Amino acid sequence: MSIFGHPLHPMLVPLPIGAFVFGVIALLLFTVSGDPFWLQGSYWLAIAGVVTASAAAVAGFMDWLGIPGDSRNRNIGAWHLALNLTLVGLFFVSWLILGGFGGATGANATFALVLQVVGALMLGVSGWLGGEMVFGKPEEDQKPTEQPKQEQQSGQPAT
Amino acid sequence: MSTLVAVRGRPAILTDLFRPVLFSFSFGCFVFAAAGLIVFAGTEGLFFLRLSYWLAEAGLVTGLVAALIGVAEWSFALGEADARDGLWHSGRDVLVLTLFAAAWTSLGGFHGAPATIGRDITLAMFTEFMAIALLVSFEVSFAVEGRPRMKGGLT
């Protein structure tokens, strides 16, 4: 999925990354300092991350559908997708724990923090998998080529 | 601030992990800093102004670290054709960081997060949106599509 020839998914993924990671930091600051500003910050960033991650997921899923079924990137993409859906779920649950639709209350903030830290770690792994798809070894370098077999049969290098 | 295609094959810990993650975090912080200013302009809620300040600061710090790693990576590519693209790339990154530094300074800078809502945020909004426009239009797509688009567009 692209806009004016530019892939949409890589444009969108920095948004949930920024929101989720800074949200975790904010919640950590709240648990340390007790300053409600950081609780509010984490609350708003968690839901902002969930919303923007959902948008990025749609674009990413459309891209994933276009990857050939037997390729390495298809498999990596499936793990990437599964991890992302799980971590978005974790952040959504943490947002609900922080207050959900009723606004930030700070109840069970420690449990919410644990969920967010796990989610952030998953985000790191998922991001690494995403990087593998884009910057990793090119697909053609990893598939065994048929050329040596042809050479063996004909006795001459295939052209 | 995206990972240069030029440095593929360089130390993997830098190219595959640190820089893209730092860039993404930085970019996300910048976008939400700008969003925070919009919400502040609409609601006059001091919370969003303070959040915008901290997000801009976090984006600046990580953006600077990403830039330093980028310079180190770029130095590996010196003498190669890609080094010229890297120069353009770093020039834009410096511009983006400068614009956000100006926005952060106008929001309070080293004096700390704004404590009142009587602050003029016009400059901060203008510079932040300029910076984001630059990032979106060039950097992110270049991360994926690499040299051809750069050559066609800028060199």
Side-chain angles (χ1 to χ4, degrees), chain A residues 5-7 10 14-15 21 40 44, chain B residues 25 27-28 32 47 140-141 145 149:
Chain A
H6 294 218
L15 304 183
V21 175
Q40 288 280 340
W44 283 107
Chain B
F25 178 71
F27 180 56
F32 282 113
F47 162 76
V140 182
S141 59
E145 296 176 37
R149 183 163 297 277

Side-chain angles (χ1 to χ4, degrees), chain A residues 7 12 36 40 59 71 91 102 108 120 123 131-132:
Chain A
L12 293 174
Q40 288 280 340
S71 68
F91 272 94
N108 297 316
L123 184 65
E132 271 297 298

Side-chain angles (χ1 to χ4, degrees), chain B residues 68-128:
Chain B
L68 289 174
I69 294 174
V71 169
E73 290 179 345
W74 177 72
S75 68
F76 283 120
L78 278 177
E80 299 175 16
D82 294 304
R84 190 180 54 167
D85 288 347
L87 206 56
W88 277 107
H89 178 86
S90 61
R92 284 194 306 275
D93 285 356
V94 167
L95 184 57
V96 166
L97 288 174
T98 304
L99 287 170
F100 264 94
W104 175 75
T105 305
S106 75
L107 289 175
F110 292 106
H111 297 296
T116 61
I117 59 171
R119 184 171 291 277
D120 182 8
I121 60 165
T122 311
L123 176 65
M125 284 188 81
F126 175 74
T127 52
E128 288 191 4

Side-chain angles (χ1 to χ4, degrees), chain A residues 23-43 46 90-91 93-100 103-118:
Chain A
V24 174
I25 295 169
L27 196 51
L28 191 63
L29 288 170
F30 169 68
T31 55
V32 171
S33 69
D35 184 344
F37 168 75
W38 294 115
L39 172 67
Q40 288 280 340
S42 180
Y43 171 84
L90 286 175
F91 272 94
V93 170
S94 80
W95 176 76
L96 291 175
I97 291 170
L98 288 175
T105 61
N108 297 316
T110 308
F111 183 47
L113 177 63
V114 170
L115 291 182
Q116 290 199 3
V117 168
V118 172

